[in-house]
Amino acid sequence: MGSFNSQYENYYNNLIRGNKGIRRGYLNGSKSKKNYAARFMQIFVFQAIAALILVLFIMSLKIINTPDTKRIYAYCKQVINEDYNYKPVLKAVEGFDWSNATKYLSQKNFDYIQAKAVNYIEQIRSQITGEKTIGQKIKQEYDVPLSGKIISPFGYRNDSQKEFHKGVDIAAPLGSNIKSIYNGTVEDVSVDKSYGKYVMVDNGNGVESKYCNLSSIEVKKGDGVTKGEVLGKSGDKLENEIPHLHFEIMYMGKNEDPEKYFKFQGSALDD
């Protein structure tokens, strides 16, 4: 799966390269018309295929007779048939003071907004499908990578808005077994200048887990792993530090606070 952020970056880089190609076409006289026409046809074909897939999807909802598909089909039908009055919305947009937009947006915590949006979408998906939300699944089915106290929590360190700790540090004696929190596939095995040797696992459904500061690694990229399987041994990378595991969990490429989902032994900061 790789990092979602990397996928977004590649996607936008491809768009930029595509746009540059179109601009070069305009500057090349006769080639510009051919390039533009080809690009237009590609977009048209893509949108036509997407529309066809959407139509087939809605038709399949009507054919497949289950309570879930009935609810989804009824909702799609309601959205299509609804006579929306957009005039109030357009009026509100026209009267919006855009000069304050930048200031307003800069004061908001976008991570918080993104988290709320993802949570809202997850709740809707759960209601439609009857499945657990990702948060519920992690809390109920995943396990901690090892038992130990938190010696450094998730978030900004020492009230600094510059140094952000993307995971938690869990106290671990040298050579402790570090286990996979859930089934998955090893997507990366490497060395980080800040966190030493690490293993990253794709746990599916947009969830990734990262295990850092290892002294040894017992898996390789591409390996399938199961919940509780040993990935490596904990290490002692830096001087004057308590031996520990640096652990991160990500959803849709965004780092989450592990303490939201896992029950650790407590915090050494409270001792």
Side-chain angles (χ1 to χ4, degrees):
M1 177 178 67
S3 170
F4 278 87
N5 293 330
S6 298
Q7 290 181 8
Y8 295 150
E9 184 178 354
N10 292 336
Y11 172 72
Y12 288 117
N13 285 339
N14 289 334
L15 288 183
I16 293 171
R17 286 196 292 270
N19 290 337
K20 287 181 179 179
I22 293 173
R23 285 197 293 270
R24 285 195 295 270
Y26 278 116
L27 297 176
N28 289 337
S30 60
K31 290 184 179 180
S32 64
K33 295 181 180 179
K34 294 181 180 179
N35 290 341
Y36 180 79
R39 182 66 174 170
F40 177 80
M41 285 303 299
Q42 287 178 350
I43 295 174
F44 175 78
V45 171
F46 175 79
Q47 292 180 343
I49 293 174
L52 178 60
I53 292 173
L54 181 60
V55 171
L56 292 175
F57 171 71
I58 295 175
M59 290 177 63
S60 67
L61 293 177
K62 190 174 182 179
I63 296 172
I64 302 173
N65 192 9
T66 68
D68 290 335
T69 56
K70 284 182 179 180
R71 285 198 297 269
I72 299 172
Y73 178 76
Y75 177 75
C76 293
K77 187 176 180 180
Q78 178 185 350
V79 171
I80 294 173
N81 293 333
E82 187 73 26
D83 185 15
Y84 293 101
N85 182 8
Y86 295 104
K87 290 183 179 179
V89 177
L90 294 175
K91 186 176 181 180
V93 172
E94 290 174 356
F96 184 76
D97 185 2
W98 293 100
S99 62
N100 292 326
T102 303
K103 182 179 179 181
Y104 171 79
L105 293 175
S106 64
Q107 293 174 347
K108 294 296 179 181
N109 186 333
F110 280 95
D111 288 340
Y112 173 77
I113 296 173
Q114 181 185 11
K116 295 293 286 185
V118 170
N119 182 64
Y120 180 71
I121 294 171
E122 274 292 299
Q123 292 292 339
I124 294 176
R125 184 191 66 82
S126 177
Q127 290 176 7
I128 293 175
T129 64
E131 298 177 354
K132 299 176 183 177
T133 65
I134 295 300
Q136 291 170 339
K137 184 171 182 177
I138 294 174
K139 289 179 180 179
Q140 297 174 15
E141 300 181 16
Y142 285 48
D143 202 357
V144 293
L146 84 161
S147 298
K149 289 187 175 182
I150 301 296
I151 59 174
S152 183
F154 176 88
Y156 289 103
R157 288 177 163 176
N158 302 322
D159 297 326
S160 169
Q161 295 300 306
K162 295 181 179 180
E163 187 179 1
F164 190 87
H165 194 217
K166 295 182 179 180
V168 294
D169 291 346
I170 309 169
L174 296 179
S176 298
N177 286 333
I178 306 303
K179 302 175 182 179
S180 178
I181 59 174
Y182 196 67
N183 306 334
T185 303
V186 178
E187 61 176 331
D188 195 16
V189 174
S190 189
V191 180
D192 183 272
K193 63 180 181 180
S194 299
Y195 298 126
K197 295 178 182 178
Y198 73 84
V199 174
M200 181 176 286
V201 177
D202 173 6
N203 300 111
N205 297 311
V207 180
E208 296 167 294
S209 50
K210 190 174 182 180
Y211 314 77
C212 309
N213 192 28
L214 304 179
S215 60
S216 64
I217 296 174
E218 300 183 14
V219 294
K220 62 182 183 298
K221 185 175 180 179
D223 283 354
V225 295
T226 57
K227 174 182 172 181
E229 182 174 341
V230 175
L231 304 175
K233 305 285 187 180
S234 64
D236 182 23
K237 184 177 65 65
L238 298 175
E239 295 181 0
N240 303 320
E241 279 195 0
I242 300 173
H244 66 273
L245 166 74
H246 174 81
F247 171 65
E248 299 178 12
I249 186 166
M250 292 147 279
Y251 178 56
M252 300 299 286
K254 177 181 175 296
N255 285 77
E256 300 281 349
D257 184 355
E259 291 191 83
K260 285 173 52 180
Y261 306 106
F262 299 95
K263 292 183 179 180
F264 298 98
Q265 289 184 359
S267 173
L269 302 176
D270 298 331
D271 293 343

